[in-house]
Amino acid sequence: MSMSSGPTPAPSTAGDPPPLLSLRNIDKSFGAVHVLRSVDLDVYAGQVTALVGDNGAGKSTLIKGVAGIYSFDSGDYLFEGQPVVVHDPKAANALGIEVVYQDLALCDNLDVVHNMFLGREEKRGITLDEDDMESRARKTLDGLSVRTLKSVRQKVSSLSGGQRQTVAIARAVLWNSKLVILDEPTAALGVAQTEQVLNLVRRLADNGLGVILISHNMNDVMQVADNIAALYLGQMAAQVKAKDVSHGQIVELITSGRSGDLGLHPQQTGASA
Amino acid sequence: MSTTTTDAPDRVQPEDEGLAQAFRDYVQRLRGGQLGSLPAALGLIVLVLFFTALQGSTFFSAFNLANLLSQGAMIIVLAMGLVFVLLLGEIDLSAGYAAGTCAAVLGVGLTQKGWSLPLSLAACIVTGVVIGVVIGLLVARLGAPSFVVTLSMFLALQGLMLLIIGSGGTIPIDDTTILAIQNNNLSPLGGWILFVIVIVGYALVTGLRMQRRRAGGLTAEAPSVWLFKVVSIGVLYGLATFFLNQERSRNPELTSIKGVPYIVPIILVLLVVLSFILGRTAFGRHVYAVGGNAEAARRAGISVRGVKIACFIACSTMAAVAGILFASRDNSISPSTGGSTTLLYAVAAAVIGGTSLFGGVGKVSDAVIGGLVVAVIANGLPLITQEAGIQFIVTGGVLLVAATVDALSRKRAVAS
C-alpha cells in the first residue's frame, strides 16, 4: 500500500504552537487486515481534538497504539516534538499519556480516593498515606471545578454514571498528565450528565492539557472540540478546525471520506472500498 | 445536577457533624445495601437474649461464656483466614482439613519425632504456608476454579492427614504450653490490664487519627461519634472482663478457675495485625481491588496473580493457627480434627459477619462477630434440644439467611 506519495491531508493549523502529539504515516495491520494506512494526527496542548469515524474506521486501534497497547508497524510517533517509542502502557504513562476507557475500570467496592490512586498508592512507611491521598484527590477535583461529588469517601457503587466518568477522568488527570484520551465518555449518560462531562472535558483543555475525545455524538463534538480528525476506513480523511466546518461536512467526512474539497481524493476512497 | 462553572466548588466542609449526622449517614449506607456487621451484631444480641430466656442459668453463666469463647476460637481464626479468600470472590473448602493436617504435623513433631516446641510450631505453620502456595499457584497460575481446586484439596488433605497420623489413630498432646492456650486464663488483674491496654490503645489510635485529619481539613469523625464508639466498646468489653473474672469452677475449693482466657488476647492480636494488613497497607487495598474488579486492578498495574496467591497463603496459614488451637482444646489430634462441620461453620461465620461471597466486601472483624454468632448457636442449641437433626437444620437456616442478606444487599447496591 503505497499511500505516502498521495496528498496527505494537511491539518489546517497554521499559526498554532507545535503539537503535543504528532503522528505521521502511521501504518498498522492485523494479519492481512490493513487497519491504519498512513495516518497523520496532531494533538495540541490546551485543545480538544475530537477523533471521529464510523465503526471499524480504526479509531480504537489508533488510540491503543498511542496508549502503548499495540505498537504501530511503521510511522513516526512524536511527543512534545521528540520521537518516542511506546511499546507498553507504562511507557505511555511515563510520558504523561492517560486513557479513560469506556468501561472506566473503576472498583465499585472502593471509594473515590482509593480508585483515583489504585495501583499507585501513596505510602508512608508500609502504611497507606490516606490523608495525603485524600487531599490530593480533593485538590485535583477542585482544580477541575467538580461540584457533583459530595464526598471523596463515597463508594463508587453509590455514584451515578456521570460521577463515575468524572472520577475516571480525574484519575487520569491526577498524574501530571499532558495528554488525556477519552473513549466515548458520554455514551451511557443522560442529557444533564452529558453536559457535566462535556464541561469537564472543556476544562481539561482550558487547564492546558491535550485532550483526544472519541465520540459518535456530533453534537458533543461540535460543542467541545477545537479540532476534528475524521477517520475513514483506516485513513485520515481530514483534520480540520471545528469552527471551519459544519455538522453536515463532518458527517460526510465520516460516511464517505470526503466533503467538497475536504478529505480524501475519490481514487483514495474508491481504492479502499 | 447543576452545571454552573464557578471556580470555587461548594464542597461539604468536615464540620462538627455529631452523632445525629453520623446516624443519618449510617442509615443512608444501610439503605444503599452496605450492611456490614449490623445483621450479625443484632443476631448475636437476639440469640443471647433468646438462649438466656430459655436456659438462663446454664447458658448465661461465666463457665459457659468462657467455654463458648474457646469453642468459637477455632471457627473465628479459620474465618479470619477465609475472609482473605472470600474478599477475592474465591473459596477455600480445604481450610478445615488444612487445620487438621497442620495440627497432625504439630502432634507428630511433638510426640513421635520428639522435636522441640518451637520447631514443631514452625513445622505446623510452614505446612500451612505450603498448602496455601499449592492452592494459590493452581488457582492463580492455571486459572482453575478455586471451588474445584480446594474441593480436591479437601479430599487430598484428609488422606495426607491420615498418613501423617499413621495407624495409631489419635495423637495425644501433653505439651503444657500448647494445652495452656485454650485451657488457661489471665489472672483477674491481668484481664483488667489487658482491658486498659485495649481500650486506651483503641481510643488513642482512632482519636489521634481524627485529630490529624481535622487539622488537615479532611473528612473525619465527629468527636461525639468517636467518644460514643470508645465508650460503648469499653462498656461491652469491661462487662465481659468482669464476668470472666468471676469464679466459674464447679468446685472452687479444689481448683479456682477465673480470668479472661488466653485465647482472647491471642484473637485480639490476630484481629489487629490482620485488620492492619487489609485496611492500612497497599497489599490490603489491592486485595479489595482484585475482589471488586480484577480487570480494573490489572490495568492499574496490580499483580492479580500475586494477590491471589498471597490470599490463599494467608488463609492456609491461619488454618495452621486454628490447628494449634484444635490441638490445645481437644488435648489430642485425631483424623476427624478440622473435619465435619468445621469448615462450613467458618465460612458461615465470615458470611454471617458481613463478608460477601461475591468478593470485595468484608473485614477481619466480621470473622469475630460471625464466629461468635456461630459459637452461640452451636453452644446454646444443645442446651435446648438434644436432637442433632434440629441443631443442623437451625445452623443451616442461619447461614441461609446470611447468604440471602448478602445477595439482597448486593442487589440493592447495584440498583442504587
Side-chain angles (χ1 to χ4, degrees):
Chain A
M1 299 283 175
S2 57
M3 281 299 164
S4 50
S5 57
T8 317
S12 56
T13 47
D16 280 325
L20 176 69
L21 169 76
S22 203
L23 301 177
R24 286 288 174 271
N25 293 318
I26 295 293
D27 272 270
K28 175 73 185 172
S29 305
F30 292 111
V33 187
H34 209 152
V35 187
L36 296 174
R37 306 161 196 237
S38 192
V39 169
D40 292 357
L41 178 71
D42 286 310
V43 179
Y44 296 87
Q47 295 192 8
V48 177
T49 304
L51 185 60
V52 297
D54 218 335
N55 292 337
K59 301 186 300 283
S60 295
T61 310
L62 185 61
I63 289 316
K64 285 180 176 166
V66 172
I69 293 174
Y70 304 146
S71 40
F72 296 128
D73 295 343
S74 65
D76 300 323
Y77 184 147
L78 295 138
F79 195 75
E80 297 183 304
Q82 302 298 314
V84 288
V85 180
V86 177
H87 280 313
D88 59 81
K90 284 229 165 79
N93 291 349
L95 288 171
I97 300 172
E98 295 282 335
V99 187
V100 179
Y101 292 101
Q102 210 170 343
D103 67 358
L104 302 183
L106 297 173
C107 291
D108 274 4
N109 58 330
L110 298 179
D111 68 26
V112 173
V113 177
H114 296 167
N115 267 290
M116 284 175 72
F117 283 85
L118 193 62
R120 301 188 260 197
E121 291 86 0
E122 302 279 323
K123 275 175 261 184
R124 197 171 40 199
I126 57 163
T127 58
L128 296 169
D129 193 345
E130 293 284 353
D131 300 3
D132 187 47
M133 286 195 277
E134 184 172 333
S135 48
R136 276 188 63 192
R138 193 72 256 183
K139 220 180 285 171
T140 303
L141 289 166
D142 286 356
L144 296 170
S145 305
V146 171
R147 304 156 44 86
T148 48
L149 282 176
K150 195 171 133 239
S151 160
V152 287
R153 286 299 178 189
Q154 264 176 297
K155 290 207 171 164
V156 165
S157 59
S158 69
L159 301 181
S160 70
Q163 289 171 324
R164 283 166 197 242
Q165 188 75 48
T166 305
V167 172
I169 292 174
R171 169 165 73 181
V173 176
L174 187 64
W175 305 98
N176 294 323
S177 37
K178 295 167 181 153
L179 175 64
V180 175
I181 302 171
L182 304 167
D183 189 2
E184 297 270 5
T186 60
L189 303 181
V191 177
Q193 300 197 333
T194 298
E195 192 67 24
Q196 280 170 24
V197 169
L198 290 180
N199 281 333
L200 180 58
V201 170
R202 191 60 252 168
R203 281 198 293 276
L204 290 183
D206 293 346
N207 286 1
L209 278 75
V211 179
I212 299 180
L213 172 74
I214 300 178
S215 185
H216 272 121
N217 187 324
M218 285 312 116
N219 292 329
D220 292 2
V221 169
M222 296 310 277
Q223 187 182 337
V224 293
D226 302 293
N227 254 293
I228 298 173
L231 275 171
Y232 176 73
L233 297 175
Q235 300 175 79
M236 188 58 78
Q239 185 174 359
V240 294
K241 289 207 162 186
K243 63 176 190 295
D244 298 340
V245 290
S246 67
H247 190 131
Q249 282 176 300
I250 298 294
V251 174
E252 275 182 39
L253 282 172
I254 292 172
T255 51
S256 61
R258 52 181 290 104
S259 166
D261 54 352
L262 278 174
L264 302 163
H265 282 271
Q267 70 267 28
Q268 281 179 297
T269 57
S272 51
Chain B
M1 296 295 163
S2 126
T3 54
T4 40
T5 51
T6 43
D7 286 323
D10 54 337
R11 65 169 129 120
V12 182
Q13 287 295 332
E15 300 155 6
D16 197 1
E17 286 157 341
L19 273 178
Q21 180 61 40
F23 183 71
R24 279 196 294 276
D25 287 351
Y26 186 62
V27 171
Q28 188 74 37
R29 283 208 300 279
L30 289 184
R31 293 166 69 102
Q34 299 171 29
L35 293 178
S37 296
L38 179 76
L42 290 180
L44 191 57
I45 294 170
V46 169
L47 283 169
V48 168
L49 291 178
F50 175 73
F51 286 126
T52 307
L54 287 179
Q55 287 290 333
S57 54
T58 331
F59 177 76
F60 205 77
S61 64
F63 177 80
N64 195 41
L65 184 60
N67 183 33
L68 192 152
L69 285 174
S70 122
Q71 273 182 333
M74 289 86 77
I75 303 291
I76 290 174
V77 170
L78 264 182
M80 282 176 163
L82 278 164
V83 165
F84 281 79
V85 172
L86 292 174
L87 275 176
L88 300 177
E90 306 277 357
I91 185 86
D92 184 355
L93 298 174
S94 69
Y97 277 114
T101 307
C102 295
V105 169
L106 174 75
V108 169
L110 280 177
T111 54
Q112 294 167 20
K113 304 279 180 202
W115 292 344
S116 66
L117 179 66
L119 184 62
S120 305
L121 285 176
C124 170
I125 299 290
V126 168
T127 307
V129 172
V130 170
I131 294 171
V133 169
V134 171
I135 299 174
L137 284 176
L138 286 171
V139 172
R141 284 270 155 192
L142 295 184
S146 58
F147 182 85
V148 178
V149 169
T150 58
L151 186 61
S152 38
M153 287 301 276
F154 171 83
L155 291 169
L157 286 177
Q158 218 170 326
L160 182 62
M161 195 174 147
L162 283 177
L163 293 178
I164 292 174
I165 292 177
S167 50
T170 301
I171 304 172
I173 299 282
D174 48 16
D175 185 281
T176 48
T177 317
I178 296 280
L179 294 181
I181 297 173
Q182 282 271 49
N183 297 300
N184 290 15
N185 306 299
L186 294 169
S187 68
L189 179 65
W192 285 115
I193 292 175
L194 179 71
F195 168 79
V196 171
I197 293 174
V198 168
I199 297 301
V200 171
Y202 175 75
L204 273 182
V205 168
T206 51
L208 287 177
R209 185 193 309 146
M210 177 185 73
Q211 288 257 299
R212 198 182 63 232
R213 292 179 64 83
R214 301 196 136 244
L218 300 165
T219 52
E221 278 183 338
S224 50
V225 179
W226 169 76
L227 195 67
F228 177 75
K229 282 187 182 170
V230 171
V231 169
S232 36
I233 290 177
V235 168
L236 281 177
Y237 184 31
L239 279 176
T241 305
F242 172 77
F243 208 55
L244 288 168
N245 276 344
Q246 305 301 307
E247 180 61 56
R248 58 176 180 267
S249 171
R250 299 242 159 99
N251 198 346
E253 286 84 36
L254 203 63
T255 45
S256 165
I257 308 176
K258 57 183 173 183
V260 175
Y262 279 148
I263 193 66
V264 171
I266 292 173
I267 286 184
L268 283 177
V269 167
L270 288 173
L271 174 66
V272 169
V273 170
L274 295 179
S275 296
F276 177 84
I277 291 174
L278 271 185
R280 301 256 167 263
T281 66
F283 168 74
R285 181 62 39 80
H286 295 169
V287 172
Y288 284 98
V290 171
N293 188 342
E295 173 60 16
R298 191 187 64 76
R299 281 199 224 153
I302 295 168
S303 162
V304 174
R305 283 175 178 177
V307 167
K308 281 191 179 176
I309 293 172
C311 284
F312 279 103
I313 292 175
C315 182
S316 298
T317 309
M318 289 305 287
V321 176
I324 299 172
L325 300 186
F326 270 118
S328 176
R329 179 167 164 84
D330 299 347
N331 298 1
S332 67
I333 291 146
S334 71
S336 66
T337 302
S340 155
T341 56
T342 309
L343 183 268
L344 296 179
Y345 276 4
V347 174
V351 175
I352 289 170
T355 297
S356 173
L357 286 167
F358 302 99
V361 177
K363 285 193 276 188
V364 181
S365 57
D366 294 348
V368 179
I369 297 181
L372 287 176
V373 171
V374 171
V376 165
I377 295 171
N379 174 287
L381 273 182
L383 302 178
I384 291 174
T385 169
Q386 294 296 318
E387 196 78 59
I390 294 180
Q391 294 173 21
F392 280 127
I393 290 173
V394 170
T395 316
V398 171
L399 176 58
L400 191 62
V401 168
T404 312
V405 168
D406 177 28
L408 287 179
S409 67
R410 177 185 157 88
K411 238 174 159 177
R412 186 107 190 216
V414 168
S416 69

